[in-house]
Amino acid sequence: MARSETAQPVNLSLRKIAVVVATAVGSISFAAQAAPKEDTITVTTAAAEQESAWGPAPTIAAKRTATATKTDTPIEKTPQSISVVTREEMDMKDPSTVKEALNYTPGVFATRGSSETLDVISIRGFSASTGANTNQYLDGLKLQGDNYSESSMDPYFLERIELMRGPTSVLYGKSNPGGIVSMVSKRPTTEPLKEVEFQMGTDNLYQTGFDFSDAIDDDGVFSYRLTGLGRSEDAQQTMVKSTRYAIAPAFSWRPDDKTDFTFLSNFQSDPDAGYYGWLPRVGTVVPYTDANGNAHKLDTDFNEGEQDNRMSRRQQQIGYSFAHAFDDTFTVRQNLRYTRLHTLYTSVYGNGFTAPTQINRAFVRSDEDLNSFTVDTQLQSAFATGAVDHTLLTGVDYLRMRNDINADYGSANPIDMVEPQYGNANVNVNFPYAVINRQEQTGLYAQDQAEWNHWVLTLGGRYDFAKTSTYTRSTSSLSEINDQQFTWRGGLNYVFDNGIAPYFSYSESFEPVAGSTKQGKPFDPSRGKQYEAGVKYVPKDMPVTVTAAVFQLTKDNNLTADPSDSAFSVQGGEIRSRGLELEAKAALTSNINLTAAYSYTDAEYTDDTLYQGKRPVEVPRNMASLWADYTFHETALSGLTLGAGARYVGDTSSFYTVGDNVNGTFNVGSYTLVDATVKYDLARVGMPGSSVGVKVNNLFNREYVSSCYRDYACYWGADRQVVATASFSF
């Protein structure tokens, strides 16, 4: 089974854990508070509110980013489109997954509907070639996944989430051309932080979290942060649980203002990672007909699997982030991380429809042990040549991944859509699969950000050495692909004094392609090329960020069916995506926050033996969103925040795999969802920093199909979810 296909869980309640955590947290709530500072210090210190690309932003409108350049750069000086979801925005909307945190971001589409097992998204019409996650980075380093092994980060542990659209290989190496999601972990602070959070909600949701940080010594040289979470809930589908407990210790050493060493770690266990299955087009997009001739659709909580379906995940990460400025010219940085990820996935899942009311099913069991090591070393040089100021970045990064897979694939008995009978799967294993997958990448890169008057020229290039191999135990055979690739990017910005900055850029990416032709020739890497033009508005004296971009993005060397034997593939296909994206984020007043977004994406197979001229699957042409929240600071309602938003997702396309219309297209309808939140600041009752609130996603409980990968793989969208949160600071 292709990796884009399926998954499910077991049953382990975390309510006891939540109680234990809450008790432990309460026992240390007497921790010392920071002494109040003198007014003369806090009022005029601009540095205290200075935003860092690797730290918090003071409002929802972040103005700096490191994702597009690997340097701390103002957004208006970056040559590609960037969106930033700040901690403040996440606290307002309280997302449970990274893909939910990106709900109001243009150009992003979550493809797996109500499933929260993996953060499966596409960017500008492209997703990872494996079909199961996207290009995700944490603290500047890639979260390299393989097969069913994918890291999953909880937004509660993140300071910010950045989305960079378009090819990114010039700085990050092999990747699909759509873009990357770059996350920044919460870091130690020298200001005391003691926070405990409790949640209850629909689907038997119970969650406890805590977030502690403080300086260890009087001088603030040493500081720590300890963030933890325990959660238990039912998945939308019957018989499925979702449980998680995680802790993230961090430690910082800052002996002076030129040196920062931060130890970062994350230990997470998901004994039950939720539902990860497939439903057919018949019964979701269109109704099925029962024996009496009546038309029906499947319930949104329908589970086509079995009670013992399970995906469990244990994730351990340990590493550091180091920076040292030798002087005003030279700064060295190094990010390093080791990851261990164990995944056990057992599932009977839907695999097609047989009239009148049968869902065909298949079986997979995969036991995987993934290890990865990543390090990125950079030298940043700031100097001038005449009237031109330069920020020169040179670096080398290295990634190594090994995934030991012991898997079985097979078939299972179908299940009736009208009267499903569980417990009679009759699994038949017909394809054992025991392999060791390895990936290795070494990249050398250089980038110059040259500024003259109002002009900013960004020019960079990179040379990669990438190796992918598969060792098959049953045959003791080794298949290996070695790729070498040069990619580059150039961009030009003009920054007006009022914050308006038009720009133009060209960027490239490459992505190794596993497998070979019928004749045994290994596939060459696919390449992405993008032309982008836009304008950014980031005024210095207002918390406002507005961006507009138009783009044309092409991926060539795409796999397409071999005309002489459709069981094999050849290269030569091409997908083109072009469109428009608009985004605005603003703290209009001390009372009002506003976010607005729109994207138009016209994607098409421009060269393909089967899909020529057709839309790729799961790519809405139009998406739009609007969110506003209002906080009362006066009158009897002081401390109350009201927020509401609407999300529109246009229709998507997919393909038939059987019948007279094989390889033909069908549409999945558009939908609009409304979200809302109410929060109350408990400072009014003598509890500063504490709050209570309720959020509602899909307020009107709209029933909708999120998308379809094929006619055998459709996904119900998430039902209405109500979550009550109480957060206390000590």
Side-chain angles (χ1 to χ4, degrees), residues 67-70 79-80 164 167-168 170-171 447 458-462 487-491 505-508:
T67 301
T69 59
K70 287 190 175 181
Q80 287 181 242
M164 179 178 173
T168 59
V170 70
L171 291 177
Q447 172 189 265
T458 304
L459 188 64
R462 177 185 176 107
T487 53
W488 71 281
R489 175 183 67 180
S505 67
Y506 170 81
S507 54
E508 295 181 344

Side-chain angles (χ1 to χ4, degrees), residues 190-246:
T190 55
E191 296 293 326
L193 173 65
K194 303 289 188 295
E195 178 187 278
V196 185
E197 181 181 278
F198 304 95
Q199 287 189 345
M200 295 181 62
T202 51
D203 298 320
N204 292 314
L205 168 66
Y206 296 91
Q207 176 172 308
T208 298
F210 62 89
D211 193 8
F212 299 156
S213 188
D214 202 354
I216 298 176
D217 63 321
D218 293 337
D219 297 326
V221 174
F222 302 99
S223 55
Y224 79 95
R225 192 157 190 169
L226 184 64
T227 309
L229 177 145
R231 179 170 65 237
S232 173
E233 65 179 322
D234 298 331
Q236 180 171 303
Q237 292 71 23
T238 59
M239 306 185 297
V240 183
K241 294 283 291 183
S242 178
T243 57
R244 168 170 292 173
Y245 51 93

Side-chain angles (χ1 to χ4, degrees), residues 411-422:
S411 60
N413 284 351
I415 193 168
D416 190 74
M417 303 164 81
V418 181
E419 297 182 356
Q421 299 294 318
Y422 300 101

Side-chain angles (χ1 to χ4, degrees), residues 634-669:
E634 299 176 351
T635 74
L637 298 177
S638 178
L640 179 67
T641 298
L642 303 176
R647 297 175 278 137
Y648 169 79
V649 178
D651 66 282
T652 57
S653 181
S654 191
F655 298 117
Y656 292 100
T657 58
V658 295
D660 297 336
N661 294 321
V662 62
N663 298 323
T665 62
F666 66 89
N667 281 345
V668 180

Side-chain angles (χ1 to χ4, degrees), residues 463-505:
Y463 200 86
D464 276 291
F465 305 85
K467 181 171 71 175
T468 304
S469 68
T470 298
Y471 175 77
T472 304
R473 288 193 177 91
S474 60
T475 60
S476 299
S477 61
L478 179 66
S479 174
E480 185 174 287
I481 300 175
N482 290 276
D483 294 311
Q484 299 181 33
Q485 196 73 47
F486 175 80
T487 53
W488 71 281
R489 175 183 67 180
L492 186 64
N493 300 56
Y494 187 89
V495 184
F496 290 94
D497 291 333
N498 60 5
I500 295 175
Y503 71 96
F504 174 81
S505 67

